[in-house]
Amino acid sequence: TDNEEAGVILLSTSDEVLEGDATQFDISEDGTTASFKLRLASQPSDEVTLSFTDNPAGIGTEYNIEIDDILLVGNSITFQPAEWNTPRVIKLVAIDDSLVEDVETFTLTMTADGGGFQNVSRSVIVSITSDDTAGIQINNKPDFIDLDESNTAATVSVSVQLISPPAADETVTLSVAPPSDDFSTTQVVF
């Protein structure tokens, strides 16, 4: 009927209506996903295109969107007038990278266009937790070093690598414990 309001309805996976634009979905690079459903609030007069955008940009680089278990290709889906009240399952999946990152937060907005639904939108918050940890790995590390005090040119070689890529330059300082004037401290910049 003409008095029905154009809108986008968000539902939990148990079909409870999600109100407002502050609903948050927490996902993780460890495989934790989140899902919700969406449908139109009323029957459109024609096909409706629902576009997905986010701020900051993260779709396809930080997380993916699946629609009814199919990876979203492009940035939109369509609703035909006859299927307006059939919910689509939206699944949010973090992309597992090797970067150590703080929790990242994105505002995902779904905007409808066409069929009397021009510029109707809903937003949710997507929060991604990294599963990567910062650390160093020392290779070729001897169990002990037996140095003769008369040999002042003795050296020990080890290789040092980061467990995961740094977001910016990272300095690792190599030293001995307990501190001694007889050993030099070395810094490695990654």
Side-chain angles (χ1 to χ4, degrees), residues 77-113:
I77 61 174
T78 58
F79 282 89
Q80 298 300 325
E83 61 186 16
W84 68 272
N85 61 351
T86 303
R88 305 279 180 88
V89 177
I90 311 301
K91 184 176 182 181
L92 306 171
V93 181
I95 295 173
D96 191 8
D97 58 27
S98 59
L99 299 175
V100 177
E101 302 162 304
D102 292 330
V103 173
E104 297 177 283
T105 303
F106 304 88
T107 301
L108 174 62
T109 302
M110 295 142 286
T111 305
D113 188 39

Side-chain angles (χ1 to χ4, degrees), residues 6-172:
V8 176
I9 306 281
L10 301 183
L11 305 164
S12 70
T13 54
S14 58
D15 294 324
E16 297 172 28
V17 175
L18 303 174
E19 300 290 342
D21 285 341
T23 302
Q24 180 167 319
F25 295 96
D26 298 320
I27 60 177
S28 175
E29 292 179 3
D30 69 3
T32 302
T33 63
S35 297
F36 62 95
K37 298 177 182 180
L38 64 79
R39 66 175 178 81
L40 301 179
S42 60
Q43 187 169 15
S45 60
D46 201 354
E47 179 179 275
V48 174
T49 299
L50 194 68
S51 299
F52 295 82
T53 58
D54 61 353
N55 186 23
I59 298 172
T61 58
E62 298 297 332
Y63 66 101
N64 285 321
I65 299 173
E66 295 179 6
I67 311 295
D68 296 329
D69 293 322
I70 298 172
L71 180 65
L72 176 67
V73 177
N75 70 341
S76 64
I77 61 174
T78 58
F79 282 89
Q80 298 300 325
E83 61 186 16
W84 68 272
N85 61 351
T86 303
R88 305 279 180 88
V89 177
I90 311 301
K91 184 176 182 181
L92 306 171
V93 181
I95 295 173
D96 191 8
D97 58 27
S98 59
L99 299 175
V100 177
E101 302 162 304
D102 292 330
V103 173
E104 297 177 283
T105 303
F106 304 88
T107 301
L108 174 62
T109 302
M110 295 142 286
T111 305
D113 188 39
F117 282 72
Q118 284 68 16
N119 299 316
V120 173
S121 67
R122 288 293 303 271
S123 296
V124 297
I125 306 299
V126 180
S127 176
I128 304 174
T129 302
S130 177
D131 66 348
D132 301 298
T133 56
I136 61 170
Q137 179 174 326
I138 300 176
N139 301 314
N140 308 323
K141 177 177 61 173
D143 293 331
F144 67 94
I145 302 169
D146 186 16
L147 297 177
D148 181 350
E149 290 183 16
S150 65
N151 184 354
T152 58
T155 61
V156 175
S157 296
V158 296
S159 67
V160 178
Q161 70 184 59
L162 298 178
I163 293 174
S164 55
D169 284 352
E170 197 68 47
T171 301
V172 175

